[in-house]
């Protein structure tokens, strides 16, 4: 709990200092990962794929991440996707998908079409408004 409160204070400080949403999102992400680096062992316990993460689930997740990474890499080679870091993006997409499906399973009133459309839209377009909008 102490570590969570320290992280929350650091993130709150970022939000208080940076008004621009895009800059705030970048600074918050950097703050979160820097904090994780400084508290690496604790983060491994809380967020890691340790003993509590069943081996079958872990292997399945790795397989899905690999498939997404291959798809992203292929799309980057053909020009369908912009250039980026396919391994990080694949982890992010699978992580988002796992979190969203976990949430959605408890949301009986939210149609699956709305969830899949929103998740795909986020993956394809992010949250930054395009200059032409």
């Amino acid at each position: 709990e102490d570590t969570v409160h320290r992280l929350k204070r650091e993130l709150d400080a970022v939000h208080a200092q940076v008004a621009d949403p895009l800059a705030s999102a970048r600074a918050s992400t950097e703050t979160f990962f820097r904090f994780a680096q400084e508290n690496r062992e604790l983060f491994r316990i809380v967020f890691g794929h340790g003993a509590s993460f069943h081996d079958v689930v872990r292997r399945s997740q790795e397989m899905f991440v690999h498939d997404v990474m291959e798809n992203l890499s292929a799309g980057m080679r053909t020009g369908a996707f912009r250039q980026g870091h396919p391994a990080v993006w694949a982890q992010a997409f699978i992580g988002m998908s796992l979190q969203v499906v976990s949430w959605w399973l408890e949301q009986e009133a939210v149609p699956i079409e709305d969830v899949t459309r929103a998740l795909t839209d986020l993956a394809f377009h992010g949250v930054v408004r395009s200059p032409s909008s």
Side-chain angles (χ1 to χ4, degrees):
E1 285 185 30
D2 290 340
T3 304
V4 170
H5 291 298
R6 284 190 298 130
L7 174 57
K8 176 77 167 104
R9 283 192 301 272
E10 289 191 28
L11 291 170
D12 287 347
V14 167
H15 297 146
Q17 295 171 4
V18 183
D20 176 67
L22 183 56
S24 180
R26 286 185 178 133
S28 294
T29 301
E30 290 169 4
T31 298
F32 176 76
F33 276 88
R34 191 175 333 100
F35 190 90
Q37 181 179 31
E38 293 166 1
N39 297 277
R40 186 176 294 270
E41 290 308 312
L42 181 61
F43 270 62
R44 280 190 180 127
I45 292 167
V46 175
F47 298 107
H49 299 270
S52 65
F53 202 77
H54 195 276
D55 191 52
V56 172
V57 174
R58 183 187 53 75
R59 284 194 320 264
S60 298
Q61 184 175 340
E62 288 173 359
M63 178 183 61
F64 294 130
V65 167
H66 176 47
D67 290 349
V68 170
M69 186 174 65
E70 288 296 314
N71 186 54
L72 289 167
S73 295
M76 288 175 195
R77 283 191 301 276
T78 65
F81 298 140
R82 67 181 177 88
Q83 293 298 307
H85 197 302
V88 173
W89 289 7
Q91 290 288 341
F93 186 74
I94 294 299
M96 283 191 316
S97 297
L98 291 172
Q99 177 60 39
V100 170
V101 77
S102 175
W103 166 83
W104 175 74
L105 290 170
E106 302 297 324
Q107 310 300 313
E108 294 181 21
V110 181
I112 192 171
E113 297 81 10
D114 291 356
V115 175
T116 58
R117 190 179 315 108
L119 187 59
T120 304
D121 181 58
L122 178 61
F124 287 173
H125 306 289
V127 296
V128 176
R129 178 181 287 245
S130 67
S132 62
S133 297

